[in-house]
Amino acid sequence: LAKTTQPISMDSYEGQEVNITCSHNNIATNDYITWYQQFPSQGPRFIIQGYKTKVTNEVASLFIPADRKSSTLSLPRVSLSDTAVYYCLVGVLNSGGYQKVTFGTGTKLQVIP
Amino acid sequence: ETGVTQSPTHLIKTRGQQVTLRCSSQSGHNTVSWYQQALGQGPQFIFQYYREEENGRGNFPPRFSGLQFPNYSSELNVNALELDDSALYLCASSFRDTQETQYFGPGTRLLVL
């Protein structure tokens, strides 16, 4: 799977919009981009997944430029409960063949009151 | 809630012992993957099971083994436990034949003394 690079940590005040960028220079044509959120001692929680352009759901938006070599997770108006580690993953998650998901070290987001 | 459950939630073993961890997949999912997450690190892929057969393996020794049952639930077995096996063990289920992503359980915290 394509290697991903994210900032190790970020701080944000409550109510602000947070953008976390992930670099994935060697993304393959069939790869999707997925973001997970993880709280301490819990399993990762799926946030959003996309292939190109922009995807939005009830909790986040995912922006993917035309070259797909990076992606940005946008969290609108964060609250203290958004303090967590955010992982960016790139790969074909279900192709009918071998499936593997490789996590990097993630971005630790700290929301400040 | 993802519908993926794991048991037990916590476990303490001594070096050299064997352990079995269990995972119940989300309804409708036919694939289970297992991950090991050391403290402060991202999850590392151990292996995946599809239709009761191992379908891909990460960089883990043979003393890590697994099973998948006809109801798609799964077990992770670790023999000859080592201190470095202390970690959060996560299972994730998915439906192999679509582009749907994986959904993670809450994990089992294993401590090897």
Side-chain angles (χ1 to χ4, degrees):
Chain A
L1 293 178
K3 181 180 177 181
T4 61
T5 303
Q6 304 174 231
I8 294 174
S9 64
M10 294 180 69
D11 292 338
S12 176
Y13 287 103
E14 255 190 312
Q16 288 190 329
E17 178 185 73
V18 171
N19 296 308
I20 306 175
T21 297
C22 179
S23 173
H24 29 80
N25 289 323
N26 58 339
I27 188 169
T29 303
N30 295 331
D31 286 345
Y32 278 70
I33 300 158
T34 309
W35 286 80
Y36 285 88
Q37 175 193 57
Q38 188 178 28
F39 299 110
S41 297
Q42 294 186 23
R45 183 175 77 98
F46 171 80
I47 301 174
I48 198 166
Q49 181 180 12
Y51 183 80
K52 62 180 179 180
T53 63
K54 178 183 175 182
V55 179
T56 298
N57 62 22
E58 63 276 10
V59 297
S61 294
L62 178 60
F63 298 91
I64 306 169
D67 65 7
R68 303 200 327 123
K69 294 186 176 182
S70 66
S71 59
T72 300
L73 173 72
S74 181
L75 304 172
R77 298 178 301 280
V78 294
S79 64
L80 296 177
S81 63
D82 293 319
T83 294
V85 178
Y86 292 82
Y87 293 98
C88 161
L89 294 90
V90 172
V92 181
L93 300 182
N94 274 293
S95 65
Y98 173 45
Q99 172 186 305
K100 173 180 175 179
V101 174
T102 302
F103 290 77
T105 53
T107 297
K108 186 173 183 179
L109 173 65
Q110 180 70 51
V111 179
I112 305 165
Chain B
E1 297 296 327
T2 64
V4 180
T5 60
Q6 293 185 242
S7 63
T9 55
H10 296 81
L11 200 55
I12 300 174
K13 291 286 189 177
T14 57
R15 195 168 48 182
Q17 285 188 312
Q18 178 266 343
V19 69
T20 298
L21 310 181
R22 295 177 174 83
C23 173
S24 179
S25 302
Q26 181 168 308
S27 177
H29 285 178
N30 57 13
T31 303
V32 174
S33 300
W34 285 91
Y35 295 81
Q36 180 195 66
Q37 186 174 25
L39 203 61
Q41 303 296 316
Q44 300 299 306
F45 175 76
I46 303 175
F47 45 55
Q48 178 190 80
Y49 276 82
Y50 171 66
R51 290 187 176 177
E52 304 176 50
E53 291 190 0
E54 187 178 298
N55 181 46
R57 189 178 187 93
N59 189 26
F60 281 82
R63 61 188 183 84
F64 285 79
S65 63
L67 287 171
Q68 185 183 32
F69 301 100
N71 65 355
Y72 303 123
S73 66
S74 177
E75 287 183 355
L76 165 65
N77 300 290
V78 186
N79 294 320
L81 283 167
E82 301 176 0
L83 298 180
D84 285 349
D85 295 333
S86 295
L88 181 68
Y89 288 86
L90 298 160
C91 80
S93 74
S94 58
F95 186 62
R96 176 178 161 131
D97 302 322
T98 71
Q99 284 292 339
E100 185 179 305
T101 191
Q102 297 183 111
Y103 293 90
F104 285 80
T108 294
R109 173 70 66 185
L110 173 64
L111 177 61
V112 182
L113 301 176

